[in-house]
Amino acid sequence: MSSLDELVGVELGPTSWIDVTQERIDAFATATDDPQWIHTDPERAAAGPFGSTIAHGFLTLSLCVPMLYEALPPTGGMVVNYGANKVRFPAPVPAGSRIRGRFRVLGVEEAAMGARVTIEATVECDGVDKPVCVAELVALTVS
């Protein structure tokens, strides 16, 4: 059994806030070849459905990685992304806002190289009523 077994059902967080700047959104758009105007054109987006540019949903999801590093106790090894069972983006993240995460370990199973950990992630955005990302993440801890 790992120390993560003791965390099943325990809420971890909230984490520190992470700034979601236009520069971060633009860099993500460049890295993923997704320059859609709702993310990268502040002038056009101001007249769009959200009133400003917004972060890509997958940018928000990817920021779960540093938040998890902060929230989870050290495992003594390496943590590797294994996938996600469910991901939803109930509300947008406006450029210039900040987000933070809350996590709950749902289960820990033995795996060939260590343990497979299923984690519920809820990402909130300062000033937004609904979560901006709700996901069931799966990670491998490798000893």
Side-chain angles (χ1 to χ4, degrees), residues 1-52:
M1 293 293 203
S2 73
S3 62
L4 292 173
D5 289 306
E6 299 168 7
L7 295 177
V8 172
V10 175
E11 181 176 288
L12 305 171
T15 64
S16 302
W17 291 104
I18 295 176
D19 293 324
V20 183
T21 63
Q22 186 63 53
E23 293 78 17
R24 184 183 292 251
I25 294 168
D26 291 343
F28 189 85
T30 299
T32 60
D33 289 330
D34 184 1
Q36 186 182 79
W37 63 269
I38 197 68
H39 305 299
T40 61
D41 186 340
E43 186 175 308
R44 186 172 176 194
F50 303 110
S52 72

Side-chain angles (χ1 to χ4, degrees), residues 89-123:
F89 305 108
V93 176
S97 59
R98 60 189 192 154
I99 62 173
R100 67 181 178 184
R102 296 175 191 274
F103 301 91
R104 188 167 53 98
V105 176
L106 299 177
V108 180
E109 301 173 38
E110 286 188 40
M113 294 189 291
R116 186 170 39 252
V117 185
T118 304
I119 302 164
E120 177 184 75
T122 304
V123 180

Side-chain angles (χ1 to χ4, degrees), residues 72-84:
L72 287 176
T75 64
M78 172 175 57
V79 178
V80 178
N81 291 321
Y82 187 76

